[in-house]
Amino acid sequence: MFDVYRTSLNNSSRFVIGVSGDRPLHVVGLNPSTATNLKSDTTISKIKTFSSLNGYDGFMVYNLYPKRFTDPNRLPQRIDRNLLQKNVDIIHSCIRATPSRDIWLAWGQTISKRGYLLSCLVDLKNNIDSLEPRWIALGERTLGGHPRHPSRVSYKKSFNAFNLDGYINKLKGST
C-alpha cells in the first residue's frame, strides 16, 4: 500500500510513511498513530485525498515527534533527544531526495500538549531551511493560530502560505 515506510525496530516510532512520486506533498503532523505500510488510518487517507486533489502525485508524512500513540496525551513527558535527531535526519533526507519542497504543516492545537514539541518544530525548521521549503497550511488557522489537522478540514479548502517564523515567535512569546 505504501512504498515509503520507516519505523524503529520495535515499531514504537514511525519516521515516515507515504507514496513516492515525482512531485510528492510533504506533510508534518504531530505524532504518528496506527497507519502502517499495509494499512491506512483516517488521517493518512485524508492526506492522500488532499494531495491528489491538489496535483501532487505522492505524499510523505512525518511528525514533529515520532513516538507512536493514538492519543497525544500519552506522549512522553520528556523528550528523547536521540530519537528526535534521528527523526529530523530522516525528514531532511527524504525531502532532499525529492524535487518538491511543499511542506504542509498539519497538527492543530495539540502542539501545546508537550512543551518540547515547539523545540521539535524549531529543530526541524532549522535543519531543513537550507532546502528552501515552501511552508503551507490548509484552510483557516485554528482559533489559537495553529495549522489545522487534516481530519478537521473540508476537502473544499485550499492550501495557503504559512509564516512559520511568525508562528514560532508567537508560540515562544506565549510560553
Side-chain angles (χ1 to χ4, degrees), residues 129-172:
D129 262 353
S130 64
L131 300 175
E132 299 180 5
R134 184 172 81 104
W135 305 105
I136 58 177
L138 194 57
E140 305 81 30
R141 309 303 177 260
T142 67
L143 289 177
H146 305 287
R148 290 193 182 274
H149 187 276
S151 66
R152 307 285 191 265
V153 184
S154 161
Y155 287 121
K156 296 176 185 175
K157 299 295 182 180
S158 58
F159 286 110
N160 305 295
F162 191 87
N163 179 348
L164 187 55
D165 288 321
Y167 174 75
I168 289 171
N169 288 336
K170 181 180 175 191
L171 288 181
K172 283 181 177 178

Side-chain angles (χ1 to χ4, degrees), residues 27 59 107 141:
V27 184
F59 62 91
W107 50 74
R141 309 303 177 260

Side-chain angles (χ1 to χ4, degrees), residues 2 6-8 18 20 29 36 39 51 53 57 59 62-63 67 71 73 75 80 84 96-97 99 124 134 154 162 166:
F2 301 105
R6 292 203 45 200
T7 66
S8 59
S20 57
T36 70
K39 177 182 75 83
S51 63
L53 289 172
D57 65 352
F59 62 91
Y62 320 101
N63 290 280
K67 258 325 205 188
D71 179 359
N73 290 313
L75 282 169
D80 177 334
L84 175 61
R96 188 183 69 231
L124 176 62
R134 184 172 81 104
S154 161
F162 191 87

Side-chain angles (χ1 to χ4, degrees), residues 90-149:
I90 289 171
I91 293 171
H92 184 274
S93 174
C94 289
I95 293 171
R96 188 183 69 231
T98 70
S100 177
R101 297 294 188 261
D102 292 353
I103 303 176
W104 173 13
L105 305 174
W107 50 74
Q109 302 282 117
T110 52
I111 194 168
S112 59
K113 294 284 181 185
R114 296 287 182 266
Y116 61 77
L117 292 170
L118 176 57
S119 67
C120 293
L121 174 59
V122 171
D123 286 355
L124 176 62
K125 180 195 175 302
N126 290 342
N127 189 275
I128 62 176
D129 262 353
S130 64
L131 300 175
E132 299 180 5
R134 184 172 81 104
W135 305 105
I136 58 177
L138 194 57
E140 305 81 30
R141 309 303 177 260
T142 67
L143 289 177
H146 305 287
R148 290 193 182 274
H149 187 276

Side-chain angles (χ1 to χ4, degrees), residues 6 13-17 26-35 41 43-44 47 60-69 72 75 83-91 95 103-107 110 117 120-121 124 149-150:
R6 292 203 45 200
S13 298
R14 187 182 73 216
F15 303 102
V16 60
I17 187 172
H26 299 278
V27 184
V28 178
L30 187 80
N31 70 291
S33 186
T34 61
D41 64 14
T43 300
I44 299 296
I47 288 170
M60 295 197 201
V61 180
Y62 320 101
N63 290 280
L64 293 177
Y65 199 68
K67 258 325 205 188
R68 192 188 288 265
F69 288 103
L75 282 169
L83 183 63
L84 175 61
Q85 188 59 54
K86 182 173 184 173
N87 189 51
V88 168
D89 290 346
I90 289 171
I91 293 171
I95 293 171
I103 303 176
W104 173 13
L105 305 174
W107 50 74
T110 52
L117 292 170
C120 293
L121 174 59
L124 176 62
H149 187 276

